[in-house]
Amino acid sequence: MDYQSLFEQITRAANPAALGGGHVVGHMPAPTTTDPTRFGFAVADLTAQVCGTGDWQVPFPIQSLSKLFTLAMVLASDGDNIWSRVGKEPSGSPFNSLTQLERDRGIPRNPFVNAGALVLTDRLISLTGHACEALRTFLREESGNPALNFDMRIARSEQRHGHRISALAHLLADYGRLDNPVDTVLRHYFWQCSLTMSCHDLALATGFLARHGLRADHSRLLTCSEAKGINAVMLIGGTYDAAGDFAHRVGLPAKGGVGGGIVAVIPGRGTLAAWGPALDRHGNSIAAVTALDTFTTHTGWSIF
C-alpha cells in the first residue's frame, strides 16, 4: 500500500478549511479541541505498525471514544451480563436523549448513548473499584504510551457543564439501574472522558477489535464472539443517529466522540483513527468522517 499517496488524497479531501461549517465544543478548554483547522489520520495493522498524516500525534480528549474501551473491559471481566442492563439497538435519537431513556424505562438503547455509557461506568466501578484508573492503565498498555493521562481542566469543565449527563444519571438511579452512588458514577465518567490520546495512540489501542479479541501482547481480552458483538454495536450505534449514513459512506464499525475523534475497525486487517474538532449536527467530526470515507473508497477496505 502506497500510504504516502493515499494520505495526500485524504488530507486534500478532509481539509477543514475547504469543508467549512460545523461547530466545536465550547466547554472543553483545550486549544487543540477548539481549533477547527486541526486534522490527523492514522492507520495501524495487526502487528501494531502504525503510520499517519497531519496532526496524528497530537493528543486530544477522547470523550465518548472511552465508551468503546469501557464496554470491552466490562465484557472481559463480566461476560454477557451487561446486556441485561443495556440494549444493542440503534438509538434513532440524539445521544443524550432523556425522553428515550424514560420511554424505555431506564434501559439505555445501546452502550454508546450517554445513558448506556453511565451504566458501563457504574459496572466498571463495581468490577475494578476505580473505573477511570483501570481504563487509563488499559489504554496505556494497549497504546504503548505510558504518558497517556487525564486533562484535569477538561474533567472539571465537564463536571461544571454536564447538567444533562447528571440528569440521565439521576433518571437511571430512579429506575434502579445503578449500583453505585450517582456522584461517584458521574465523577468517574467525566474523568474517563478527559483522557487525552492521539490518532497514533487510538489506532493502536483499538487493535484488539481487529485481532478478534487479542490484546497488543497477544493475550486474549475478548472471545471472538464478544469482539464481533462490539463491532456490530459500533456499526449500528457508534455514530449515534447518523449510523446509517456513516455505514453507507464508510462501511466500517466505528465510534466517534465530541472531541472530534473517530476510530474505525477493519476486522482481520487493522484500525483507523481520524480527528478534526469541527462537528456536524449529530456530534461527529466532519473532517474525520470525510477522511474515513476517502480511505475506504480508495482502498476498498470495508466490511461490505
Side-chain angles (χ1 to χ4, degrees):
M1 174 67 66
D2 179 6
Y3 280 121
Q4 187 57 47
S5 174
L6 180 58
F7 286 159
E8 289 172 2
Q9 295 179 67
I10 289 170
T11 300
R12 284 195 298 270
N15 183 344
L19 290 171
H23 67 281
V24 296
V25 176
H27 64 268
M28 288 188 288
T32 55
T33 302
T34 55
D35 181 356
T37 67
R38 293 281 196 169
F39 171 71
F41 186 88
V43 55
D45 66 17
L46 298 180
T47 66
Q49 297 300 306
V50 60
C51 56
T53 188
D55 299 313
W56 69 299
Q57 300 199 66
V58 175
F60 58 91
I62 64 172
Q63 293 289 323
S64 290
L65 298 180
S66 63
K67 301 171 185 177
L68 169 61
F69 303 110
T70 55
L71 173 58
M73 293 174 70
V74 168
L75 282 171
S77 297
D78 203 31
D80 286 343
N81 292 324
I82 192 63
W83 299 122
S84 66
R85 298 175 175 229
V86 180
K88 306 172 186 173
E89 300 301 326
S91 65
S93 298
F95 57 83
N96 56 1
S97 173
L98 286 157
T99 56
Q100 185 174 74
L101 182 63
E102 188 159 26
R103 188 165 56 245
D104 292 339
R105 301 194 59 78
I107 299 293
R109 192 60 62 91
N110 64 62
F112 299 140
V113 295
N114 283 354
L118 289 167
V119 172
L120 292 176
T121 298
D122 173 64
R123 188 64 190 135
L124 194 59
I125 292 169
S126 297
L127 291 168
T128 67
H130 206 294
C132 57
E133 290 287 354
L135 177 62
R136 179 174 63 175
T137 298
F138 174 78
L139 290 173
R140 283 177 171 179
E141 292 171 351
E142 294 306 292
S143 68
N145 179 4
L148 188 154
N149 217 335
F150 308 103
D151 187 315
M152 185 182 301
R153 298 168 302 166
I154 292 173
R156 290 177 175 170
S157 180
E158 293 279 5
Q159 288 174 314
R160 287 195 301 271
H161 295 91
H163 305 302
R164 184 172 285 263
I165 290 281
S166 297
L168 286 166
H170 283 284
L171 187 55
L172 285 165
D174 189 61
Y175 279 107
R177 308 302 185 191
L178 299 180
D179 294 329
N180 295 282
V182 167
D183 289 347
T184 301
V185 174
L186 286 170
R187 183 172 66 255
H188 282 265
Y189 179 79
F190 290 137
W191 278 92
Q192 76 183 38
C193 288
S194 79
L195 282 163
T196 60
M197 299 176 69
S198 65
C199 291
H200 175 279
D201 296 333
L202 284 163
L204 291 174
T206 314
F208 65 92
L209 289 174
R211 293 187 292 268
H212 307 294
L214 294 180
R215 297 187 62 171
D217 63 3
H218 301 291
S219 64
R220 183 159 292 282
L221 175 71
L222 303 170
T223 66
C224 291
S225 180
E226 288 167 340
K228 179 184 70 175
I230 292 179
N231 283 330
V233 177
M234 278 205 294
L235 186 69
I236 61 94
T239 48
Y240 309 120
D241 49 335
D245 182 66
F246 186 90
H248 182 266
R249 290 184 61 184
V250 178
L252 292 174
K255 181 72 193 81
V258 297
I262 300 179
V263 293
V265 179
I266 315 168
R269 190 183 291 270
T271 54
L272 309 171
W275 172 54
L279 310 177
D280 63 20
R281 64 188 179 88
H282 302 288
N284 298 310
S285 167
I286 295 172
V289 172
T290 303
L292 293 165
D293 181 7
T294 304
F295 181 93
T296 56
T297 298
H298 283 277
T299 62
W301 292 357
S302 81
I303 63 171
F304 301 112

